[in-house]
Amino acid sequence: MTLQRPALAAALAALAACASPPQSTPVAPPAAASPAAATSALVPLRVLAINDFHGNLKPPSGGLRMADPARPGATIEVAAGGAEHLATALETLRAGQANHIFVAAGDLIGATPLLSALLHDEPTIESLGLMGLEVSAVGNHEFDKGAAELLRLQRGGCHPVDGCRGPRPWAGAAFQYLAASTVDKASGQTLLPPFVVKRFQGIPVAFIGLALKGTPAIVVPAGVAGLRFDDEADTVNRLVPGLRAQGIEAIVLLIHEGGATTGGINDCPDISGRIVDIVRRLDPAVDLIVSGHTHRAYICRIDGRLVTSGDKYGTLVTQIDLQLDTRSGDVASARAQNVVVRESFAKDARQTALIETYERLVQPLARRVVGRVAAGFTREANAAGESTLGQLIADAQLEATREAGARLALTNPGGMRAPLPRPADGVLRYEDLFSVQPFANNLVTLTLSGAQLLEVLEQQWPAGGRQRVLQVSRGFTYQWDAARPQGQRIVPGSVVLDGKALDPAAPYRVTVNAFLAEGGDGFTKLRRASERRTGVMDVDALESWLRQRPGYGPGALDRIARLN
């Protein structure tokens, strides 16, 4: 839920004093080493990092995909993740380390599974605090429910609509979110502190945290109303002189932006993406960059600096070992590896108790009534590839994103994990909808030209692959011909939207789920879309649609027609 602007302004004003940069408190430089200590002038520091956790308190479906050691060029799925195993992995990696810190690079919440989402992600924030998380950058998904909600999660207090549903009144996060580049336009102050300084055997280390500059383009506008997201490198470079003036030489950047490589979890071949340019523009004083956002794993050197990313969903922990020079206070060396959070890490008893507590609380919410249906909806497709469940979901997603300019919605059949049968009493509950759409995928409304949309439709029949017919919303119709060559199966002139033939040169606002938006299921042409705007979760769109239409039932399968 997003608070209205007056409530947001009040929340921001209340925070202004503590959100100001903490440079005002001088930090003394480390004491100079004595000649006798010259041969042992290094202090080890282990930094443990995650990114893009997205509330996966339980091991995510599919685990971690990584290179198959037995088959060069092939990949395998490895069971990994889950808060119980992650907590133990962290404790294991801390063992024997006099100096250590657990940090994160954003998107800890948002697009979360039912267990966390139903309780406004308080379970995730509590779980990570229990693991010892100390600081995290904000990510774009931290703004899914608005800035005021993010501040509530940070500082404490009951939800303004639902109240406190947890086992106790919400006390706030045990760790600190950082938002160096997120500025309240009205006050000119950062929404949250830009950095924190931690001391390790007397050596100060600054941790700067920030979100990607493009956040406003990929979240619901109301979530970032009144906020400005500054350039990442420019923001960091403005902070560095003040830090160094206080005697701080060791600087770590936690940034919710990343890249992609073609290698394994500890490799860095062909690194690409915005993170490359950002790192190259950073002040040379920045020693380490912990990145995220792209859901990739890599250990890189860019312009001589260590850049890391730990995939997603808590399947990896990035172990970073720094050596701090006691004489200069700077980082003398840095190395890292991504550690798989395997099931061999025993379950942490405190995390098990936390999950069990929240599961009991979620049950009544999961059983809440969301609507009534006249008949069930099936995933079974007709000869053209269309299903009643697909129509329902596409229609719901179009309706939920009208405000973003959507005229058409497309959804993939693989995103529908179960049918939606009519219960004996016709009453649907939230858990019924979640079984259909369990991925917590946000909706993304993007712009395609008519010609690009045709290219997307042609990708429903990949060369040598299995057809995946996209489900389409009402008002959109077309024909396809199985006898035509691959890449030319859409019947020319048959594509119609709202009674008008598709114009190849015209722009169209199209809604898909986040998985498709990134080229999932082979729909790579969607990556070329522009003007992306992230909306509500798919399951929430479905709930809203059914709530407004009691007694709703399936209609005729007449949007897609097959010839031959």
Side-chain angles (χ1 to χ4, degrees):
M1 194 212 76
T2 302
L3 294 183
Q4 297 300 313
R5 180 62 192 161
L8 172 59
L12 294 177
L15 186 75
C18 68
S20 299
Q23 291 102 308
S24 56
T25 303
V27 178
S34 66
T39 57
S40 59
L42 297 178
V43 170
L45 168 61
R46 175 160 291 179
V47 179
L48 301 174
I50 62 170
N51 55 273
D52 299 274
F53 186 64
H54 289 292
N56 278 263
L57 298 175
K58 292 187 172 183
S61 175
L64 172 70
R65 181 162 290 279
M66 56 189 297
D68 185 346
R71 297 179 299 155
T75 60
I76 55 173
E77 285 186 357
V78 176
E84 295 162 298
H85 303 296
L86 176 59
T88 301
L90 290 164
E91 200 58 38
T92 301
L93 296 173
R94 292 185 187 110
Q97 301 296 314
N99 305 302
H100 53 76
I101 185 171
F102 176 28
V103 302
D107 274 11
L108 303 179
I109 58 174
T112 50
L114 185 68
L115 177 60
S116 184
L118 281 181
L119 295 170
H120 304 292
D121 284 328
E122 292 173 12
T124 294
I125 299 293
E126 183 178 344
S127 170
L128 291 169
L130 195 61
M131 291 181 205
L133 182 65
E134 294 192 44
V135 292
S136 176
V138 291
N140 54 285
H141 279 288
E142 263 76 22
F143 294 93
D144 281 352
K145 303 299 182 183
E149 173 65 359
L150 172 59
L151 297 183
R152 184 190 73 83
L153 289 172
Q154 174 73 78
R155 298 173 61 79
C158 296
H159 190 274
V161 174
D162 296 331
C164 280
R165 289 176 167 176
R168 64 195 68 85
W170 180 243
F175 60 90
Q176 180 63 60
Y177 269 120
L178 304 175
S181 61
T182 306
V183 178
D184 172 35
K185 294 177 183 178
S187 70
Q189 299 289 331
T190 55
L191 178 69
L192 289 157
F195 63 84
V196 297
V197 177
K198 302 285 183 176
R199 284 183 172 274
F200 303 94
Q201 291 182 220
I203 301 175
V205 181
F207 294 84
I208 302 172
L210 45 75
L212 71 156
K213 179 182 178 181
T215 295
I218 56 175
V219 301
V220 177
V224 292
L227 299 176
R228 185 183 78 236
F229 289 78
D230 291 340
D231 179 86
E232 303 94 339
D234 290 347
T235 297
V236 175
N237 293 345
R238 284 194 298 268
L239 293 172
V240 167
L243 292 171
R244 299 191 73 187
Q246 297 179 66
I248 302 169
E249 295 294 336
I251 301 174
V252 176
L253 173 59
L254 312 174
I255 179 171
H256 192 69
E257 181 59 287
T261 74
T262 57
I265 63 173
N266 288 307
D267 299 329
C268 189
D270 307 314
I271 179 71
S272 62
R274 290 196 66 240
I275 194 65
V276 177
D277 176 65
I278 292 170
V279 172
R280 287 174 177 165
R281 292 171 50 220
L282 289 174
D283 189 299
V286 178
D287 301 291
L288 165 66
I289 298 91
V290 178
S291 67
H293 184 55
T294 54
H295 291 198
R296 302 297 183 92
Y298 47 78
I299 304 294
C300 296
R301 294 277 175 181
I302 300 176
D303 279 1
R305 283 179 283 198
L306 185 62
V307 182
T308 70
S309 180
D311 202 71
K312 61 186 182 300
Y313 304 158
T315 56
L316 295 176
V317 173
T318 307
Q319 174 191 318
I320 306 162
D321 289 304
L322 305 180
Q323 294 288 334
L324 306 177
D325 190 315
T326 57
R327 290 160 294 184
S328 67
D330 208 349
V331 175
S333 67
R335 58 188 176 87
Q337 65 171 334
N338 279 316
V339 178
V340 180
V341 180
R342 298 180 184 272
E343 292 179 338
S344 55
F345 288 107
K347 292 183 176 181
D348 178 87
R350 295 188 303 168
Q351 293 290 331
T352 299
L354 180 148
I355 290 171
E356 289 175 349
T357 296
Y358 279 110
E359 282 183 324
R360 287 193 294 270
L361 293 172
V362 159
Q363 274 305 306
L365 302 175
R367 294 286 296 165
R368 75 175 189 267
V369 174
V370 297
R372 290 178 172 272
V373 289
F377 295 81
T378 177
R379 293 189 299 167
E380 297 300 319
N382 63 6
E386 196 171 8
S387 71
T388 57
L389 183 60
Q391 285 188 342
L392 169 66
I393 290 173
D395 288 347
Q397 294 181 357
L398 175 61
E399 183 72 17
T401 54
R402 290 283 194 188
E403 185 182 355
R407 298 183 58 195
L408 161 68
L410 306 171
T411 194
N412 55 316
M416 305 181 295
R417 307 307 291 178
L420 187 65
R422 180 186 182 277
D425 59 359
V427 176
L428 287 176
R429 303 182 186 277
Y430 188 80
E431 62 185 355
D432 298 324
L433 306 190
F434 207 83
S435 69
V436 174
Q437 295 188 288
F439 298 115
N441 260 317
N442 283 80
L443 301 182
V444 180
T445 303
L446 39 80
T447 298
L448 294 168
S449 68
Q452 289 175 320
L453 179 54
L454 288 172
E455 290 178 339
V456 170
L457 294 177
E458 290 291 356
Q459 288 193 306
Q460 296 175 117
W461 303 281
R466 179 172 56 90
Q467 78 172 29
R468 295 185 178 91
V469 177
L470 295 170
Q471 306 300 291
V472 304
S473 56
R474 61 176 60 188
F476 186 73
T477 60
Y478 70 90
Q479 299 175 345
W480 64 275
D481 190 342
R484 293 174 62 85
Q486 189 268 335
Q488 303 175 41
R489 293 195 174 163
I490 302 298
V491 176
S494 70
V495 184
V496 174
L497 177 61
D498 297 331
K500 296 182 179 180
L502 191 74
D503 180 352
Y508 294 90
R509 294 287 283 164
V510 181
T511 293
V512 295
N513 60 47
F515 172 72
L516 280 176
E518 295 305 316
D521 271 351
F523 290 95
T524 56
K525 298 294 184 181
L526 284 168
R527 295 177 186 164
R528 298 166 54 193
S530 61
E531 301 176 296
R532 294 167 179 255
R533 179 157 290 173
T534 302
V536 300
M537 285 197 303
D538 49 12
V539 68
D540 292 337
L542 183 57
E543 178 183 2
S544 177
W545 175 270
L546 290 169
R547 276 190 181 280
Q548 297 174 44
R549 294 163 178 82
Y552 191 72
L557 298 177
D558 56 2
R559 302 173 189 178
I560 305 172
R562 175 178 177 174
L563 308 181
N564 299 310

